[in-house]
Amino acid sequence: METTPQIKKAIFLLWILLVPAGLWFTYKITPPHHPGSWTALSGFLLLTLVVAAMPIVINKMFIFLIQWVALATFLQFGLFVEIIFAQAAVIVLLLRSKVFGKDQLFRYPLNLYMIFIVSFLSGVVYYALGGDVMPKLAGNHEAIWLAVLYAFMIYALNQLIVSIHLHFIYKEPFWGKDLFVETIATIITFPIGIVLYILYKQVGILALLFVGGPFVSVSIIFNLYYSSQKVNEYLQQAAEIGHQMAARLNVDDVMNLFIQKLSETFPVDYAYILEVSEDQLKLVRRMEMGEAQSNDKRSLCKNEGVSGLVWTNGKAYLFSKRKHWQQYTNGYIPDDAESVLSVPIERSNNLIGVLVLASKEKHAYEKYQLMILEILCSYFAVAMENAKHYEQTKIQSERCSLTKLYNYRYFESLLTKEFELLMRFERSQLSLIILDIDHFKVVNDTYGHQSGNEILYELAGRIKQLVGDRGTVARYGGEEFVILLPDSAKENAYQIAEQIRQTIDKWPFTLRQSLDQTQQQVNITVSIGVATAPEDAEDALALVRHADRALYVGAKRAGRNRVAEYSSC
């Protein structure tokens, strides 16, 4: 849940009022013990920061095991030093958690004053019950129990204060899922803190290496394992996405799936796919804040914008902050973007496009994600090529090579589907127009078959333009054309047919490849038959048969150059 500006201002105000004054008060009542021991202080501070920066990751959960260092620091140097170290550790924790951006800055004062309250109250209780700085724990049960109490106070107050803030600021339940993890972490790390304190008393600064070294090594091993685990998970996701894209046979479906999966896999606020078209990059897909946007953006040249840079150099780029890429701002990336990840899309060692991802957060992307994204782009390039090849093959199988209209095979399939919709009452009516050129054999004999093809091609374009999106135009065979009009009454179909007939009759055709190699103006006419289901036919074949009958009986025999409706009489 988003935090309101009023709450953020209150958090900053509370930190200003509480922490500086609290630090001064703590210094006065519990000044640091042995302030001149700068080597020891520096060693403990360094260990604190290193442990804070190296959490252990288990099941995608970051576990910051800083409690044991804080306990040893408190026992050795007192409350003031522990509070200062804890404040520094919180800042490192937040930086390690990638808390960046203006809208996230309030989390710094929030966590700083919460940890101050926890440290201050725990220390006050410890001292009030007789606890002391640098206690002798060997054989001193009272001192040991006070140390245990202090650790428990840190744990309990931390859980209580964090839960209260999460509930009132983020509206989360009081006791979250992290309670069990924090409990186990406190139990495990408490003895380590005691051992570090006792060993430091015996061997001095070397204790930091003896205890901190193995702990940091374990953290490194866990982090390496977690990193390899993340990479493996990304690789598995990439393979799955590749399989899903390969199953898509439509170019738009491949692009939409690619963008969707990228948004699910990576932190993406903006995504752009650009295609190399001659000497420019053309925007073919654009997604901003989870919504698809129009591609009405100008094309880019080489070295123009981040994508132009990727195109020019043929390699991927990762930018963690806006100031790193703002010199390439002549592109599509909005001003509020920070992190940018851009990868070339290649097929057979040829760069065919560029992918650009952007996030509003700084440091949103990791270097290993470049490799994952390059693999995904390879899958995408293959899937796009397969989809384009399939669509080309599909077009060739469904279209007439001369007129570019749908062919008889496609029309027959479409007619069957539309009639099924009609039978399920998902269509009110279904009209069919069949058109035939009058005396077309004479045109072929007079001007040649090439001129006849010119007329067929131009006539197809005229019919398609006249019909528009009201129906589907197909070449039925030879000089015959069909027009299928869903949800169109016979009267409406008749008007469309008459409009087509009159337009063709009054608009001569220009022949450029006649037999005598001179440009010719030729007038042609057409005869048209119209039938409508369900009033004229109960099945698809009957609809075609009756429209054909209207053409030859009602129009051809009646003198041609006319429109005829089917009549059962």
Side-chain angles (χ1 to χ4, degrees), residues 19 57-58 113 120 149 239 262 438 463 547 564:
V19 176
V57 184
I58 300 176
Y113 81 66
F120 181 80
L149 176 64
L262 287 177
D438 296 329
I463 297 172

Side-chain angles (χ1 to χ4, degrees), residues 160-225:
L160 178 62
I161 293 174
V162 169
S163 296
I164 290 174
H165 280 76
L166 288 177
H167 179 73
F168 286 103
I169 296 177
Y170 297 104
K171 308 302 179 184
E172 293 186 7
F174 269 104
W175 306 113
K177 61 181 180 180
D178 296 337
L179 176 62
F180 176 76
V181 175
E182 289 290 336
T183 302
I184 297 299
T186 300
I187 295 173
I188 292 175
T189 57
F190 171 76
I192 300 177
I194 296 296
V195 168
L196 175 60
Y197 170 72
I198 294 175
L199 194 59
Y200 176 77
K201 301 289 287 183
Q202 300 296 322
V203 300
I205 198 72
L206 288 176
L208 301 179
L209 294 177
F210 294 155
V211 179
F215 188 89
V216 171
S217 300
V218 171
S219 296
I220 291 174
I221 293 172
F222 268 96
N223 281 325
L224 290 175
Y225 175 76

Side-chain angles (χ1 to χ4, degrees), residues 48 66-75 78 82 85-86 150 154 196:
T48 299
I66 198 68
Q67 304 94 325
W68 62 280
V69 187
L71 174 61
T73 301
F74 174 77
L75 294 176
E82 191 277 328
F85 285 14
Y150 171 78
I154 288 283
L196 175 60

Side-chain angles (χ1 to χ4, degrees), residues 550-564:
L551 166 65
Y552 285 97
V553 176
K556 291 283 189 183
R557 291 183 186 178
R560 294 183 172 83
N561 191 21
R562 65 189 63 210
V563 178

